Amino acid sequence: MKGTIFVFRTFISLLIFISIEAYAQNDKNNNTQAWWKEAVVYQIYPRSFKDSDGDGIGDLKGIISKLGYIKSLGIDAVWLNPIYSSPNDDNGYDVSDYRTIMKDFGSMADFDALLKGMHEHGIKLVMDLVVNHSSDEHEWFKQSRSSRTSPYREYYHWWNAENGKPPYRYSLFDVNHDAWRYDSLTNAYYLHYFSRKQPDLNWENPKLRHEVYDIMKFWADKGIDGFRLDAFQFAAKDTTFPAFRQGFEKNFTQYYGMQGNLHGYLQEMNKEVLSKYNVMSVAEGAGNNFEDAHNLVDADRNELNMAYAFDGVDIAKREGYSLLHFKNVFSKWDSSFAAKGWLSIFLANHDQARLVSRFGNDSPEFREVSSKMLTTFIMTMRGTPYYYNGDELGMTNAGFTKIEDYRDVQTLNEYRRQKKLGANMQEYLKQISFESRDNGRTPFQWNGTLNAGFTTGTPWIGVNANYKSINAVAQVKDPSSPLNYFRKIVKLRKENKVLVYGKYTLLDNKNPDTYSYTRELNGKRLLILLNFKSVAASANTEIDLNKARILIGNYDHPSKNGKLRPYEAIVYELQ
Ligand code: GLC
């Protein structure tokens, strides 16, 4: 009898082992289904989402009070910008304590309630992990700068001044674009790729790396569902700091990204943390080319699940862009990831001006329709969509006219720099009214009451003057609003796996006005037609549309035969 039980048990263990192995193997296969591939990720900028206590700053309780709204969008996961303690030089991207919550945002009890509330609503939570740098007010940095012999000295990058000036490094946010800052306390320079208050952490130091893994475990143990690794492509450095050849500063990603042992650190992070929890991981930045991007996310390398490249959002950095270029970029990225790896799809976030103002048309005539067209694009491409809060309402650029309206460290420091250089400041103001990050950071427009219902106090940044006509309450009531369109198309994506996994084929590729493509999976074939222009245009796909069924369109009565009205978007199911 005992022998039989033993054989039976061994058999069962073997079965369990085989299925776990099969699952693990399967999981490495690119075509394997995964929640993070199927998810629509909604990004919340907590500072501007909803203020619950009247101090003019959005907070965690504010987000909790809006869980019903968030759920109603049909999204699967929320990516929350940093909510850790911070002196807010860069709105939370300068962390002074990774294990506590920023006072403006609330307490750890609020965080626990938020996480619980999200999970009860079936929404996953992805946290921002800012570990290329910390705040200069983090205890590590305070110790590090205090003496050359501090045990924390090697947590950051220092260059002793008796060795002369360090070889030039570019800083993205510094007033002089100089990444080395002299500190008289120890007669040395420290490195900061972002602002002076954001010293870069030394990833070459194993002690620092393990501190970060412990922080990740702290949050993963709380039950969060993922990490977005902020600016991580810049984390590894050649600590001998060799001089770069001239002209290098023009392409930051090329000279500063994906250096040294970055992949080694990610593999270590994966082994120490990511593989031990059911969490997804996404890197901000994907290097310089497809090879870099694959090296980050190809499943057999055991690094990250996803990364997002800037090629797409960068297309509309300045006013006006070419649709041919746009199609080319997205088609190339898709084909490079068709067999292996997984993409992210996004056109906006907190580092960009507003989606509709940059890629669409925010005039009263075309704002709604162009915003829905862009949403259609994001929701019908292969890859995981990341969608920024407020874009579902078609929120527009801020309309700021003077420098006092702005809060962003990058915008303000560049203003100071340009002024020092004697530049034309009216021109600069015009430029930032189109491209400053603050355009995407104005308070969420909940309703038509004071401050758009965001706060009862004075908002930390001005509310967009158009909140009386563009707000969530008005759009909930209007069946053809951008908000209700967003809900419908998210549902459509969730119901049609072809929109997640299906093969993408570009049609009519030389058409400068319209973007047409098919998505195909297991015999199901969808056709997407998008007019990116403010005038009527034809999509010449040579597909007989008489037999096609319309699944969704952004006009009440979609056009026939591929003749599209301004910014028209139609999704068909082909027979
Ligand atoms: C990332 C963030 C951005 C921040 C920067 C420095 O690019 O998205 O908001 O300013 O990193 O942390």
Side-chain angles (χ1 to χ4, degrees):
M1 185 65 189
K2 262 194 182 159
T4 321
I5 290 176
F6 176 75
V7 172
F8 182 69
R9 275 206 187 140
T10 316
F11 177 69
I12 293 293
S13 316
L14 200 70
L15 263 189
I16 293 173
F17 177 75
I18 291 171
S19 37
I20 289 175
E21 268 299 287
Y23 176 76
Q25 286 306 320
N26 217 9
D27 211 21
K28 294 193 167 181
N29 181 336
N30 179 53
N31 297 320
T32 317
Q33 306 193 349
W35 74 262
W36 46 268
K37 293 182 181 174
E38 293 174 20
V40 173
V41 182
Y42 181 69
Q43 182 192 349
I44 292 183
Y45 196 66
R47 206 172 177 78
S48 300
F49 196 63
K50 174 70 186 162
D51 175 22
S52 72
D53 58 7
D55 66 356
I57 299 173
D59 47 43
L60 301 185
K61 280 200 174 116
I63 302 175
I64 295 173
S65 73
K66 294 297 181 187
L67 279 175
Y69 172 82
I70 299 165
K71 177 72 187 167
S72 81
L73 300 175
I75 54 92
D76 306 271
V78 163
W79 152 29
L80 206 54
N81 290 94
I83 53 166
Y84 318 101
S85 293
S86 163
N88 280 313
D89 185 55
D90 185 18
N91 290 357
Y93 282 95
D94 46 325
V95 179
S96 53
D97 183 348
Y98 291 93
R99 288 186 176 82
T100 57
I101 302 293
M102 188 194 299
K103 287 211 174 58
D104 293 336
F105 288 172
S107 64
M108 193 57 88
D110 296 337
F111 173 81
D112 293 338
L114 174 64
L115 181 61
K116 190 161 172 272
M118 283 201 176
H119 285 169
E120 279 166 6
H121 282 80
I123 300 167
K124 297 190 190 300
L125 178 60
V126 177
M127 299 279 281
D128 219 313
L129 184 72
V130 191
V131 289
N132 169 71
H133 45 269
S134 73
S135 161
D136 65 342
E137 295 182 36
H138 193 291
E139 196 50 38
W140 296 337
F141 191 73
K142 288 189 196 160
Q143 297 284 339
S144 184
R145 92 190 311 175
S146 68
S147 101
R148 287 190 181 187
T149 55
S150 155
Y152 290 91
R153 190 69 170 178
E154 298 299 318
Y155 274 41
Y156 296 86
H157 298 284
W158 291 97
W159 180 279
N160 292 338
E162 62 270 21
N163 298 330
K165 275 201 92 173
Y168 180 72
R169 288 295 183 270
Y170 182 78
S171 161
L172 289 158
F173 295 173
D174 189 72
V175 195
N176 304 319
H177 286 323
D178 183 353
W180 290 107
R181 174 80 177 153
Y182 179 70
D183 193 25
S184 60
L185 211 60
T186 55
N187 190 33
Y189 298 84
Y190 67 86
L191 186 74
H192 62 91
Y193 283 172
F194 294 90
S195 91
R196 291 172 186 178
K197 288 187 66 62
Q198 294 169 296
D200 281 46
L201 289 162
N202 180 3
W203 272 78
E204 283 61 47
N205 178 355
K207 265 202 188 144
L208 177 274
R209 298 203 299 274
H210 283 88
E211 294 261 20
V212 172
Y213 305 149
D214 285 349
I215 290 165
M216 293 174 78
K217 286 180 198 157
F218 172 84
W219 291 99
D221 283 335
K222 278 188 173 285
I224 67 153
D225 306 285
F227 292 104
R228 176 243 184 209
L229 274 70
D230 179 71
F232 200 78
Q233 58 179 337
F234 305 118
K237 276 122 191 153
D238 175 348
T239 51
T240 62
F241 295 108
F244 284 161
R245 67 187 165 91
Q246 262 200 330
F248 59 85
E249 72 280 2
K250 293 205 184 95
N251 190 341
F252 194 74
T253 317
Q254 189 175 342
Y255 286 88
Y256 298 73
M258 316 294 282
Q259 301 293 306
N261 194 21
L262 188 90
H263 294 292
Y265 304 151
L266 282 172
Q267 281 158 18
E268 185 181 73
M269 178 191 286
N270 187 297
K271 187 167 147 266
E272 296 284 331
V273 190
L274 299 173
S275 62
K276 295 189 176 152
Y277 295 87
N278 184 17
V279 288
M280 68 86 123
S281 51
V282 52
E284 181 202 24
N288 265 309
N289 46 48
F290 300 133
E291 196 189 332
D292 279 351
H294 274 284
N295 286 345
L296 287 172
V297 301
D298 280 352
D300 343 309
R301 293 175 55 91
N302 294 317
E303 294 185 23
L304 302 172
N305 296 137
M306 274 180 279
Y308 60 82
F310 300 115
D311 296 21
V313 279
D314 281 353
I315 294 169
K317 264 221 164 324
R318 299 278 144 83
E319 259 169 299
Y321 66 95
S322 137
L323 178 64
L324 290 178
H325 181 205
F326 186 98
K327 293 200 267 195
N328 191 20
V329 166
F330 280 96
S331 302
K332 273 193 182 158
W333 273 93
D334 185 88
S335 63
S336 161
F337 278 75
K340 214 168 187 231
W342 191 252
L343 285 170
S344 315
I345 298 290
F346 77 110
L347 285 176
N349 62 28
H350 67 293
D351 290 329
Q352 311 291 333
R354 279 288 172 189
L355 174 69
V356 71
S357 302
R358 300 172 70 218
F359 286 98
N361 185 327
D362 61 10
S363 71
E365 191 182 359
F366 296 124
R367 185 186 62 81
E368 292 207 348
V369 76
S370 68
S371 145
K372 291 182 210 167
M373 184 276 291
L374 294 164
T375 299
T376 314
F377 168 73
I378 297 169
M379 292 302 158
T380 55
M381 287 295 284
R382 177 156 52 184
T384 300
Y386 287 77
Y387 198 91
Y388 186 55
N389 62 189
D391 285 341
E392 75 274 25
L393 307 178
M395 276 178 64
T396 65
N397 273 0
F400 293 156
T401 53
K402 35 186 207 318
I403 196 65
E404 293 73 25
D405 294 332
Y406 291 90
R407 302 286 176 270
D408 170 31
V409 62
Q410 183 178 30
T411 307
L412 295 176
N413 278 349
E414 188 59 22
Y415 180 86
R416 288 178 194 121
R417 199 178 77 88
Q418 298 276 342
K419 205 163 176 191
K420 260 207 288 194
L421 293 173
N424 177 339
M425 297 320 285
Q426 281 314 315
E427 270 303 307
Y428 181 72
L429 283 175
K430 196 165 151 242
Q431 184 188 325
I432 56 178
S433 75
F434 180 73
E435 66 179 38
S436 167
R437 310 195 292 180
D438 277 342
N439 284 300
R441 297 176 177 184
T442 60
F444 193 94
Q445 292 165 208
W446 290 106
N447 56 46
T449 68
L450 179 73
N451 297 324
F454 163 69
T455 180
T456 52
T458 308
W460 71 276
I461 188 169
V463 175
N464 194 314
N466 61 21
Y467 73 91
K468 290 216 164 107
S469 55
I470 305 175
N471 64 66
V473 162
Q475 294 201 17
V476 166
K477 290 185 209 139
D478 173 4
S480 58
S481 65
L483 171 61
N484 282 318
Y485 187 82
F486 177 77
R487 289 167 165 166
K488 268 187 249 162
I489 201 156
V490 168
K491 187 159 177 277
L492 187 77
R493 186 175 175 99
K494 303 299 305 173
E495 287 168 357
N496 287 279
K497 288 218 168 142
V498 57
L499 286 174
V500 177
Y501 298 105
K503 176 171 175 261
Y504 158 96
T505 309
L506 174 66
L507 307 172
D508 191 18
N509 59 345
K510 297 219 166 71
N511 192 324
D513 305 320
T514 61
Y515 192 168
S516 313
Y517 47 95
T518 53
R519 303 291 313 279
E520 258 176 288
L521 184 74
N522 303 331
K524 192 163 187 168
R525 195 161 166 238
L526 304 190
L527 168 70
I528 295 95
L529 302 183
L530 309 168
N531 180 2
F532 272 67
K533 296 292 156 73
S534 59
V535 288
S538 291
N540 308 308
T541 60
E542 290 170 16
I543 291 176
D544 180 5
L545 294 175
N546 288 319
K547 289 193 213 127
R549 186 165 73 94
I550 292 176
L551 299 181
I552 194 167
N554 64 348
Y555 276 79
D556 285 344
H557 302 285
S559 307
K560 299 259 161 30
N561 305 324
K563 306 224 172 317
L564 303 174
R565 279 168 283 180
Y567 299 109
E568 183 155 16
I570 312 178
V571 180
Y572 296 92
E573 179 166 358
L574 301 176
Q575 301 306 315

